[in-house]
Structure formats: C-alpha cells, structure tokens
Amino acid sequence: MDKYTILLVDDEEEVIQAMMKKIDWDGLGFSVIGYAGNGVKAIEMVEEYQPDVIMTDIKMPYMDGLELSNRIKTEFPAAKILFFTGFDEFEYAKEAIHLEVEEYILKPINSAELTAVFTKLRQKLDQEINDKRNVEILQKYYMESLPLIQADFYAALIEGRIQEAEIPKFLTDYQLSFPGPFFSCLVIHTSSCQVPENMNPLLLFTSVQKQAKEHLSDQWQAKCFSYLGNTILIAQLQTEAEISDLTDACDRFCKYARRMIGAVVTIGIGQICQNIQELSQSYQSAREAVSYRGIYGSSRAINMKEMEIQKITGAATANDTELSGLFKMIRFGSEDEIVEAADKYLGHASFSNKSLQQYHIDMMEMVSALYRFAANHDVRVDDFSGDIRKLYSRLLDMEPDTLRKWLIESCMLIRKTMISARNSSTKSFVSRAKEYVRNNYGDEGLSLDCICEDLGVSNSYFSTIFKKETGNSFISYLTDYRMDQAASLLIETNEKSYMIAKKVGYTDPNYFSYVFKRKFGVSPSKYRTEHTESENE
C-alpha cells in the first residue's frame, strides 16, 4: 500500500525537528503528516487526518500523553500509539496505564533504535493488511454472507432481472441447485391487521416464515426468502400434476398457522414453469392470486388456474418492479423521472383493460402501496389520512387521464414533503446545536459528547450533518465562537484576560492565550491594545 501516516506530538519542537531530520521516514515506509505541541491540538489533527501511527510524549501541557492515548483508543481503535518519554516517567507510564501501546522509547531518541522500532511496526501493519486480504478469511466472510446473496439472487429471478445466459454462473458462484424440472412460485402473505393479542406483527411474520420452511421447504425442495413484506417460496415439482398436491399442502399450512399461532395466512400459487428464468411470470400470478383474498377469503391457498377466474386476454398485472421503480424515483429522482415512472407503472398495469372487479382490486393495491410508502417515510399525506374507502370510490370514477394526474400529483406531494422533512431535520440539528453553544459556551465541560447527548444523536451522525451544513467541525465552530466572544469582551470591557478566559470556557489562561493567538495572530493583550488605539484615533 502507500506510505503509512504518522503524527508526532511533543511540546519540545526541537525534539520533533530532530526526529524528522534524523530518521529516513520515506525509506521506512512512513510519511509524517505533521506535528502537534500538545494533546489538545493532537486530537484535532487526529480527527482531521486519522493517521495510522501517533508517536507522543507523556508530559505535555493542556492534555498529557496518557489522556491523549485514552481518547485515541476510544475513538480511533485501529491507530497505533508509541510513547517516547524521559527515564523518570518510563516506569510510571508502564504501571499507570493499561493501553495497547506499541512501544515505549526513552529520551534522548536514538535514531538506530527508532529505525528498528518503525521497521518492526511497518511489518506489523503490513501483516494486518495482508490478513484482511487473506483468501481464506475472505472465503469465510463470503460463506457467512452467502444466505443474503442467495436471497438477492432469488429476488432478481422473480423480478425478471437476470439474463438466461448469466444463470449458470450465478448458480455456481452462489452454490445453488435447481433440479426441477418444474417450478412454481408461492407468495405467503401474513396479515398485519389480524394479529393475536400481545403479538408483534413482525414477530408473527417471522414465526410464519419459520413454520413455512419446516412444513413446505423440504417436501418441495423450496427456496425460501423475504420479499416486499411477504415470504416467497420457489417450489420444485417432478411433474405438472403435482401442482394439485402443492396447493393442498399450502391450504393445510394456512389452516395450521391459524390454529397453532393465530396467524391469518394466505398463499398464492403461481403458474408452473419449466425454466427458472420464467419465475417472474410465476411470481406475478402468485401475487395476483394473493390479491384475491378479499374476494375468496383468507387463511387458504389460492391457485388462479383452479379458480378459473375470468380475465381479459392480454391484461397484465402491474408488478412490484414497476411500483418499486416509482417509489425509487420519489425518493431520489427528478420530477420528470417521477412522471416517466408513473406512466410506466400505469402502462404496465393496463388499468383501462381490466374488468370492474379486477380494476377495483388494482386500485386497492396501488393506494395501499402508496399509503405504506408514505407511512414508512413519516409522510402525512391528507389524501391518505382520511377515510380510505371514500378515496377508493373516488378513484374508481376517474377517467384514465384524471387517474394519471392524481397519481403524479400524489407522488410529487410525497416527494416534496420528504425533501422538506429531510432539510428541516438537518437544519434543526444545526440550529439547536448553535443555540446550545450560545447558551453554554462559558461551560468549560462543553464538548461534542454534551451536545450529542442533548440532541439524542450519535457523535458520528451529528458530526457528519454539522460539517455538511456549516462546512466546519463542531469543535472548530465552538472554538471560533468562544474566541469571537472573547475578542468582544477584550474591546468592550476592562476585565483581566484570565477572567475573560474563564467566561468563555477556559480555566487555563495560558492555553486560552495560545488558542486566541492561533486565531487572531496576536495575544489577547495586544489585540485589546490595537483595537483600543484604533478606536481612539
């Protein structure tokens, strides 16, 4: 890899300069990204540059090496730490702390010793990287993640996103077998409205899925996975005639689930196919069968072919791929992309070619899907917050162009509300943080942990949002705010510098002067003199 980065920390600059000149850092495979004269400055640089190695003295002003090491190990556990210190502090350091420090090096620094230490450290860092890239370890990770990868493959199959030529390679890579020779997709729907008392709907869904695996997977060599809130099984049959036995088995399972765990389960049986690439068609018919539970009843298996439901030739059921595409555009797309996705969905659904009964069912599915999407994203849409039955009735009376207009307008409204909510959320965090600083900047204990505890968010999330909105880290913003307040007090009052330091949150006047000079280029006393003289002139 590229050179490892190192940060040097010591309050004696001549020591740092000597190390930088005497050691062939490039030859050792390291690059010195900078140095700090105290632990406070070092923390700022570690947060900004995240070096691989920090080499620090122990005895320093403002924050010593022990406290610095504790902070680094807590927030950046992968970083390596080396101590270099005087002989009188060496034994104390070893006895007083239990940190994973790589090495203790005594001053004065010996270049040969230091070269040996960093040669050994480079080997250790290289070994850690090699371990992460080790084929056996990667293979283990791959096997652990294989069930998720297989589930993604199954989802792609029923969505029709895999080309026939690609299938053999996927089967080999994902260690899958589909001997068939016939296949049928099953959609197992667990009602979230009819749930036993004191039962969580998610736990009920999980229980049904587990029972389905035990009762159906082995007998039908079925692949089982979750997809869009349902359990999906890809069953394998020896003959086409076995579809009747499969339907009976599914019907028995629905009744078993109702009796044993109180779950209202409906299973849609998809059409038989001879090629797994055709599973998308089987899935669509299974999904359509499940949608008839409102007509034929729940807690049963529904096989569309056996029901002999009259359908108009050429009519197509809008699949989840088109609807998922529309939802994706609402979340991430432009207004034009939303219109295109809505037209694609309506065109695929062919609502105008359905019987009244089928049209009504499709209307219910579309509105229900929009409602769930809005609710899942904490969007309150007025059209969906009232009596939903009245909304269904109104949609059934709409002409195709009016329906298209309603769908597009609803999607735009959801998109606008989501954008507004996202912006308000991030701006609210930043505004509340700034207000907290205004009210508490004089508190010496004010820190990133304090503000995040008050806001109820994690440090990493808050830091990302704050920097994105302001272009600055929270610590830098707090320091600048305190310095600006101090500058005003220096000009507007006659208070001593140490009193002003205390008012803006600094108990150590020397460190206050150090930070003030770093921002304004002059000491507090000189700053007061310059600005007082300019006002009197």
Side-chain angles (χ1 to χ4, degrees):
M1 68 171 279
D2 295 334
K3 292 182 176 63
Y4 296 105
T5 55
I6 178 171
L7 173 66
L8 303 176
V9 188
D10 196 315
D11 58 337
E12 299 180 61
E13 186 169 348
E14 60 271 18
V15 174
I16 290 180
Q17 294 298 334
M19 284 193 293
M20 293 177 66
K21 292 177 181 178
K22 291 182 179 180
I23 304 301
D24 180 12
W25 296 106
D26 286 342
L28 291 171
F30 290 88
S31 173
V32 179
I33 60 169
Y35 60 88
N38 57 70
V40 176
K41 179 62 178 176
I43 280 294
E44 294 179 3
M45 296 183 71
V46 170
E47 289 178 349
E48 182 174 359
Y49 299 109
Q50 297 190 19
D52 299 302
V53 181
I54 298 92
M55 185 172 179
T56 178
D57 190 11
I58 291 181
K59 190 174 182 180
M60 296 182 296
Y62 313 130
M63 180 189 292
D64 64 24
L66 301 181
E67 184 179 353
L68 171 64
S69 299
N70 268 308
R71 288 280 302 275
I72 292 173
K73 279 301 179 182
T74 300
E75 299 174 19
F76 305 93
K80 307 298 182 186
I81 299 175
L82 292 87
F83 279 156
F84 60 103
T85 184
F87 180 79
D88 57 336
E89 300 165 3
F90 180 65
E91 289 301 323
Y92 162 73
K94 293 186 68 175
E95 294 175 3
I97 63 174
H98 301 283
L99 297 170
E100 296 177 1
V101 176
E102 299 299 321
E103 194 71 57
Y104 297 89
I105 306 168
L106 289 176
K107 292 181 179 180
I109 302 296
N110 181 297
S111 59
E113 179 187 2
L114 200 57
T115 297
V117 168
F118 276 93
T119 299
K120 181 180 177 181
L121 182 59
R122 170 63 192 248
Q123 294 172 351
K124 182 174 182 179
L125 289 168
D126 287 344
Q127 183 61 47
E128 288 180 358
I129 291 179
N130 290 335
D131 288 344
K132 292 176 182 177
R133 297 175 179 173
N134 185 280
V135 175
E136 291 184 2
I137 295 176
L138 292 177
Q139 180 66 23
K140 179 183 177 182
Y141 291 159
Y142 178 76
M143 294 304 296
E144 290 175 350
S145 61
L146 192 57
L148 293 176
I149 296 174
Q150 292 173 339
D152 286 342
F153 172 72
Y154 299 147
L157 272 180
I158 66 174
E159 290 174 355
R161 293 190 286 108
I162 299 182
Q163 300 296 321
E164 186 173 7
E166 299 175 325
I167 290 178
K169 183 179 184 303
F170 282 123
L171 295 180
T172 300
D173 291 345
Y174 300 160
Q175 302 180 24
L176 294 170
S177 174
F178 281 91
F182 298 96
F183 309 93
S184 176
C185 193
L186 314 180
V187 174
I188 303 178
H189 173 82
T190 303
S191 174
S192 59
C193 299
Q194 303 178 67
V195 179
E197 189 176 354
N198 299 324
M199 172 64 78
N200 182 294
L202 184 58
L203 294 179
L204 186 65
F205 170 86
T206 304
S207 177
V208 169
Q209 186 172 84
K210 181 176 182 297
Q211 295 294 325
K213 287 181 180 180
E214 293 178 1
H215 286 75
L216 300 173
S217 291
D218 290 343
Q219 182 181 357
W220 302 98
Q221 302 179 65
K223 314 296 184 182
C224 180
F225 60 103
S226 300
Y227 182 75
L228 296 179
N230 291 317
T231 297
I232 310 299
L233 264 65
I234 300 176
Q236 304 185 69
L237 299 83
Q238 295 298 314
T239 65
E240 290 186 75
E242 284 186 345
I243 193 66
S244 297
D245 295 335
L246 175 60
T247 302
D248 290 339
C250 290
D251 200 63
R252 288 192 297 271
F253 175 75
C254 292
K255 292 177 173 56
Y256 167 84
R258 183 64 177 268
R259 184 178 69 256
M260 298 301 295
I261 57 179
V264 178
V265 177
T266 308
I267 301 181
I269 313 295
Q271 68 186 47
I272 294 176
C273 57
Q274 289 185 275
N275 189 321
I276 61 172
Q277 191 184 16
E278 299 170 359
L279 280 170
S280 59
Q281 300 170 26
S282 183
Y283 168 71
Q284 290 307 320
S285 60
R287 180 176 171 273
E288 184 179 3
V290 167
S291 71
Y292 276 84
R293 63 188 180 276
I295 299 173
Y296 294 100
S298 302
S299 292
R300 62 173 300 172
I302 302 176
N303 186 325
M304 293 295 290
K305 186 176 181 180
E306 291 184 350
M307 291 297 174
E308 296 182 350
I309 299 171
Q310 184 177 359
K311 298 188 294 181
I312 296 176
T313 303
T317 301
N319 64 17
D320 291 312
T321 302
E322 308 300 337
L323 200 54
S324 296
L326 176 57
F327 291 160
K328 182 178 180 180
M329 290 302 105
I330 293 175
R331 293 177 62 195
F332 306 114
S334 64
E335 292 186 357
D336 290 340
E337 288 173 326
I338 290 176
V339 172
E340 182 181 351
D343 286 337
K344 187 176 181 181
Y345 170 71
L346 292 172
H348 186 93
S350 302
F351 288 143
S352 59
N353 295 326
K354 299 290 178 65
S355 66
L356 182 61
Q357 184 183 66
Q358 185 62 53
Y359 181 81
H360 180 66
I361 292 173
D362 288 341
M363 284 293 100
M364 291 174 62
E365 290 181 345
M366 180 182 70
V367 175
S368 297
L370 282 170
Y371 184 91
R372 287 195 300 272
F373 178 81
N376 288 339
H377 291 83
D378 296 323
V379 174
R380 184 180 183 277
V381 182
D382 290 338
D383 273 348
F384 299 150
S385 61
D387 189 343
I388 200 167
R389 289 176 296 182
K390 292 181 179 179
L391 176 60
Y392 287 146
S393 299
R394 185 158 60 89
L395 292 176
L396 287 173
D397 293 333
M398 287 183 181
E399 296 290 332
D401 289 343
T402 308
L403 173 64
R404 175 181 181 273
K405 181 181 178 182
W406 174 87
L407 177 59
I408 292 173
E409 288 178 350
S410 298
C411 293
M412 295 297 185
L413 178 59
I414 295 173
R415 173 181 182 268
K416 180 180 178 181
T417 307
M418 289 174 63
I419 292 174
S420 176
R422 283 197 296 266
N423 292 340
S424 298
S425 177
T426 56
K427 290 179 180 177
S428 174
F429 271 134
V430 174
S431 298
R432 288 165 60 191
K434 289 182 176 179
E435 182 180 2
Y436 192 94
V437 169
R438 287 195 297 271
N439 295 331
N440 299 278
Y441 70 90
D443 181 1
E444 63 182 87
L446 178 57
S447 65
L448 180 63
D449 290 336
C450 294
I451 192 70
C452 290
E453 182 177 354
D454 184 73
L455 295 175
V457 297
S458 67
N459 288 17
S460 59
Y461 175 75
F462 171 78
S463 297
T464 301
I465 293 298
F466 192 92
K467 189 160 189 177
K468 180 180 179 182
E469 289 294 321
T470 66
N472 208 354
S473 70
F474 173 75
I475 297 301
S476 296
Y477 173 84
L478 174 60
T479 301
D480 289 343
Y481 188 90
R482 282 171 163 169
M483 292 301 103
D484 290 339
Q485 296 303 309
S488 297
L489 290 171
L490 286 167
I491 297 172
E492 297 169 2
T493 72
N494 293 322
E495 290 185 326
K496 299 293 185 182
S497 179
Y498 73 89
M499 292 297 295
I500 292 176
K502 189 173 182 180
K503 282 189 174 183
V504 297
Y506 290 86
T507 55
D508 186 337
N510 292 327
Y511 184 60
F512 165 72
S513 297
Y514 165 82
V515 177
F516 189 95
K517 186 174 183 179
R518 189 174 64 184
K519 177 173 175 59
F520 294 103
V522 294
S523 67
S525 59
K526 190 171 183 180
Y527 183 91
R528 170 178 275 168
T529 301
E530 290 177 351
H531 285 74
T532 303
E533 290 175 351
S534 64
E535 289 180 359
N536 294 332
E537 291 178 355

